[in-house]
Every structure is written in C-alpha cells, then in structure tokens.
Amino acid sequence: MPTIAEFTAREIEGALALWAETDHLGLTPEDEPVALSGFLQRNPGLSHVAIDEGRVVGTVLCGHDGRRGYVHHIAVANAYRRNNLASRLIERALVGLQSSGIAKCHALVFRDNPYAELFWSRTGWQLRDDVWVYSKRM
Ligand SMILES: CC(C)(COP(=O)(O)OP(=O)(O)OC[C@H]1O[C@@H](n2cnc3c(N)ncnc32)[C@H](O)[C@@H]1OP(=O)(O)O)[C@@H](O)C(=O)NCCC(=O)NCCS
C-alpha cells in the first residue's frame, strides 16, 4: 500500500520519471526541476506524492493564488490505478487548501483527456461549460 507524503524537492526526480511514462500528461517549461521546486516552495502543504518501495507512484501538484486553488498533474502509475490513490491525493490537496482558507478549487483538463469524464465527473467535481480559458505565454 503506497504512503502519501508532501511533495518536496526530494521527489522531483521521481515525479518527473512517473510523468514521463504517464499517458495523457503533457509537460511544459514549468515542469523543469528549478521551476517545480519554486512552485513547491510557494505552495507548502498542498502538493503530494504517493510512494511505494521508494518509488513515486502518484502525484498531485496543487497551488493557490490567494482566491482559488488549482490542481495539476494528477497522475497514478498504471499498476496502482483504481485503488483510490488519486482520490486520496486530491483529498490531501483539498484539505491543504481549506487550511489555507481557500474554499474552491479548479482542475483544468484537456477536452480529449478520457479521464476527464472517467475520473473528475465521478469523484464529485462539477464540469463547467460556462467558462473559456484564455492563456498567454510571456
Ligand atoms: C486519472 C487518474 C489519475 C486516476 O487515478 P486512480 O488512482 O486510478 O483514480 P481513483 O482510483 O481514485 O478513481 C476514483 C474513481 O474515478 C473513476 N475512475 C478513475 N479511473 C477510471 C477508469 N480508468 N475507468 C473508469 N472509471 C475510472 C472510478 O469511479 C473510480 O472509483 P472506483 O475505482 O471505485 O470505481 C489515472 O488514471 C491517471 O494517472 N491517468 C493518466 C494521467 C491523467 O490523464 N491525468 C489527468 C487526469 S484528467
């Protein structure tokens, strides 16, 4: 049974290895180790990893902007799926957000991700069809 722990700089290498082998998970420049380390320091207590026999087998990256929480990179290794691990990781993230006074959290999901329907919709997250997301890279 994997244990869940806070995601710290020590787990970055293991998380990157998991993400590299995870389907439907795209990496961006913000996933470089230095950027990730900065994100984790800026958002203590919100991101978590699942560890089994020293290996990172699950992750959730979570942060907030003082108003809303955002979850990224929810990933579970193939062999560990359908055992509630992602749900446990998300729960830890949400507890951390609540402790920080944040009452609402968003998950931005690509429309072609099959897990959008399979996971988010079945774990109590409300699908929004009333918003567009506009993004700009500087
Ligand atoms: C999405 C993902 C994180 C789910 O991890 P997980 O640990 O298997 O999820 P959980 O066991 O907590 O699933 C909770 C519930 O979601 C639903 N669910 C999750 N994965 C499912 C699947 N492949 N098929 C059908 N239902 C699924 C089920 O209702 C499940 O409860 P149940 O097993 O009791 O029926 C994992 O499949 C993954 O890493 N996918 C690739 C990465 C990715 O696309 N991440 C972004 C997701 S939008």
Side-chain angles (χ1 to χ4, degrees):
M1 170 74 112
T3 56
I4 294 184
E6 182 167 352
F7 190 162
T8 69
R10 276 194 309 276
E11 288 83 34
I12 287 176
E13 195 181 331
L16 285 168
L18 171 66
W19 296 341
E21 66 179 31
T22 300
D23 52 320
H24 299 286
L25 207 146
L27 299 183
T28 72
E30 287 72 29
D31 296 309
E32 295 295 325
V34 172
L36 273 176
S37 177
F39 179 87
L40 295 172
Q41 280 176 31
R42 188 179 183 278
N43 295 285
L46 302 183
S47 298
H48 293 84
V49 287
I51 306 274
D52 193 34
E53 297 180 354
R55 195 166 79 92
V56 175
V57 297
T59 62
V60 62
L61 268 185
C62 180
H64 73 76
D65 57 14
R67 180 180 170 92
R68 297 289 183 237
Y70 298 88
V71 290
H72 313 269
H73 289 5
I74 177 78
V76 169
N78 267 319
Y80 294 82
R81 290 185 186 175
R82 301 303 296 276
N83 280 306
N84 221 33
L85 201 46
S87 303
R88 289 167 60 205
L89 287 162
I90 295 276
E91 184 56 31
R92 290 286 187 100
L94 296 184
V95 167
L97 286 173
Q98 281 178 305
S99 303
S100 307
I102 303 295
K104 191 170 193 177
C105 184
H106 298 303
L108 302 177
V109 182
F110 285 109
R111 285 184 187 212
D112 64 357
N113 187 319
Y115 300 103
E117 177 63 23
L118 293 174
F119 178 69
W120 296 106
S121 295
R122 294 188 197 173
T123 54
W125 291 65
Q126 181 198 354
L127 176 64
R128 301 283 297 266
D129 58 8
D130 58 339
V131 289
W132 294 92
V133 176
Y134 289 86
S135 305
K136 182 185 268 190
R137 184 169 284 284
M138 278 71 75

